[in-house]
Amino acid sequence: MKQINKTLSLRKRIGLELFRRIRKNNVRLHELNTLFWECTLRCNISCRHCGSDCRAVANRPDMPVEDFMHVIDQITPHVHPNRTMIVFTGGEALLRNDIETCGHELCRRGFPWGLVSNGLALTRGRLDSLLAAGLHSITISLDGFEEAHNWLRRHPQSYARALNAVRMLAGEKQIVWDVVTCVNRKNIGELPAFKEFLIDTGVKRWRIFTIFPVGRAAGFPELQLSDEDFTATFDFIRATRREERIHLNYGCEGFLGNYEMEVRDSFYQCYAGVNIASVLADGSISACPSIRAGFHQGNIYKDRFMEVWNERFEPFRNRNWAKKGICADCSLFRYCEGNGMHLYNERGDLLFCHYRRILPASD
């Protein structure tokens, strides 16, 4: 497929300018609408790309449900509960046997909730239990066909069980669910065939991510795409969206130049710390759970959550500090604002620029 030119079209710039105004207003309002709970650092697999380096026996015990619900009770008077999504993440959230207990309490307070899972522990009985507790949405990771998926997840039964989870969800009408795929050198060649497989399996919503070298992923260079494959991934997403046979989005990873609004449902924006917050396993108050500890804003065991949300998070809302290094003289910084916050190290240095990796159109 033909690659895009790196010079932004006039139409694209006009769209980006309009969206920039929307973002400024969004930052000003600073409304919380998504709260992640890193409910465990335990995991039943050991993925090559794990940014948190989670494992079966975690160094930190799970946070009690009561402690997290104390946070929920703090935020309830200040948000619209039915418009504020609570997401369980980890580690592997389904290793906790009290997710349903927490889910019931969230429903009682009016909050929709969902979870992110590798699918290994999602049996028919567990899914029924979660649905009875008010499960609103779920994401299952499926990273290509069996060989590629099990290589990435490093578990011989991972593919079979994740696929079983997807097939169960395909029969459910009352919840929102999607499949997430992490593209790497092992599975990029399978994407066209895998797309057809997902459609045949009943998947309606699909998200694709690329992997950046942080955490355990830094030790596996084969996870990183070449610039050619990186660009080809966006060509594939754009072409798939135009077919309208499956709703495919690229993740909220970074600014993509002329691919903006062609591979996602909206222009790029990092919502971390603007509309998204998280409570981590140790009680840290942060934004996206993938963001480095240097950007944590407080801790639930010594701070009131809403005070932290309202009075801190300045590095997330005002990104002028990020205009340095390769971003210092970039004419597109006004739209990108330095890429996603999860792409910065503890020193505040940008590790990965998506736009620089996209190849210009060939002559």
Side-chain angles (χ1 to χ4, degrees):
M1 289 177 240
K2 183 176 175 59
Q3 296 165 352
I4 62 168
N5 192 299
K6 293 201 73 166
T7 302
L8 291 182
S9 67
L10 177 61
R11 182 180 179 183
K12 199 75 68 174
R13 283 187 179 274
I14 292 172
L16 285 164
E17 286 294 336
L18 292 173
F19 189 74
R20 185 168 175 263
R21 295 181 187 178
I22 295 172
R23 173 174 169 76
K24 281 188 172 182
N25 188 58
N26 196 21
V27 168
R28 180 184 62 82
L29 294 174
H30 189 47
E31 294 179 340
L32 179 67
N33 59 31
T34 304
L35 178 62
F36 285 91
W37 181 28
E38 187 182 59
C39 63
T40 183
L41 290 179
R42 293 179 293 135
C43 193
N44 46 12
I45 54 179
S46 182
C47 302
R48 295 177 192 272
H49 65 302
C50 181
S52 303
D53 197 23
C54 294
R55 55 195 72 236
V57 180
N59 295 327
R60 183 174 298 279
D62 296 348
M63 179 186 294
V65 168
E66 293 78 10
D67 293 0
F68 180 66
M69 292 310 302
H70 183 61
V71 174
I72 295 298
D73 289 337
Q74 288 178 24
I75 73 172
T76 300
H78 305 281
V79 300
H80 298 283
N82 61 348
R83 300 207 302 261
T84 306
M85 186 70 184
I86 311 300
V87 182
F88 297 83
T89 185
E92 171 53 45
L94 292 183
L95 291 184
R96 293 191 63 139
N97 59 14
D98 55 1
I99 292 295
E100 289 87 343
T101 300
C102 190
H104 277 297
E105 290 300 315
L106 290 171
C107 285
R108 191 169 65 83
R109 291 163 173 79
F111 289 91
W113 65 274
L115 59 87
V116 180
S117 175
N118 58 41
L120 195 70
L122 190 63
T123 62
R124 180 70 254 179
R126 189 70 194 273
L127 178 57
D128 289 341
S129 177
L130 293 166
L131 291 170
L135 178 68
H136 180 272
S137 68
I138 185 169
T139 292
I140 300 294
S141 295
L142 193 61
D143 300 297
F145 294 110
E146 186 167 16
E147 181 179 355
H149 177 93
N150 286 349
W151 173 84
L152 185 63
R153 300 288 166 174
R154 298 203 290 193
H155 191 293
Q157 297 178 1
S158 179
Y159 174 80
R161 295 197 188 175
L163 180 57
N164 181 62
V166 169
R167 285 174 169 157
M168 285 192 297
L169 291 168
E172 296 296 331
K173 307 299 182 185
Q174 67 187 77
I175 61 172
V176 177
W177 64 278
D178 66 354
V179 166
V180 167
T181 300
C182 292
V183 178
N184 57 80
R185 295 185 200 174
K186 293 281 189 180
N187 65 8
I188 186 168
E190 299 178 346
L191 288 180
F194 191 57
K195 173 191 70 177
E196 298 299 328
F197 176 74
L198 292 179
I199 292 171
D200 290 344
T201 306
V203 177
K204 305 296 185 184
R205 298 175 183 86
W206 185 23
R207 279 183 292 155
I208 280 180
F209 287 83
T210 47
I211 300 170
F212 51 96
V214 171
R216 200 179 293 155
F220 296 98
E222 58 265 62
L223 294 175
Q224 308 306 314
L225 299 175
S226 67
D227 290 351
E228 290 80 4
D229 284 344
F230 193 69
T231 307
T233 298
F234 301 126
D235 287 334
F236 169 78
I237 296 172
R238 180 173 58 185
T240 299
R241 287 173 62 87
R242 288 173 177 173
E243 293 174 352
E244 297 184 345
R245 297 169 60 222
I246 185 171
H247 191 75
L248 176 58
N249 271 290
Y250 182 62
C252 55
E253 290 289 294
F255 179 72
L256 301 175
N258 273 323
Y259 283 112
E260 289 296 324
M261 281 300 292
E262 297 183 26
V263 296
R264 280 186 289 240
D265 290 344
S266 67
F267 286 108
Y268 166 73
Q269 180 177 184
C270 181
Y271 293 93
V274 177
N275 303 115
I276 296 174
S278 64
V279 174
L280 304 184
D282 64 353
S284 293
I285 300 170
S286 188
C288 169
S290 299
I291 293 172
R292 310 280 80 75
F295 291 98
H296 294 174
Q297 300 296 298
N299 193 289
I300 65 167
Y301 293 113
K302 62 178 182 180
D303 303 301
R304 291 189 62 81
F305 183 92
M306 287 307 299
E307 289 179 3
V308 173
W309 177 252
N310 290 325
E311 298 171 10
R312 304 182 195 177
F313 282 92
E314 181 64 16
F316 297 85
R317 292 184 281 169
N318 183 347
R319 298 288 295 275
N320 289 336
W321 61 268
K323 197 169 176 60
K324 60 183 181 178
I326 62 174
C327 298
D329 300 318
C330 181
S331 63
L332 300 179
F333 183 85
R334 64 190 289 106
Y335 310 130
C336 173
E337 296 191 340
N339 246 15
M341 287 290 291
H342 65 290
L343 299 173
Y344 285 83
N345 63 18
E346 295 282 0
R347 299 185 301 275
D349 300 321
L350 181 64
L351 301 174
F352 194 94
C353 175
H354 288 67
Y355 183 71
R356 282 174 174 253
R357 296 204 55 199
I358 297 171
L359 297 178
S362 55
D363 296 331

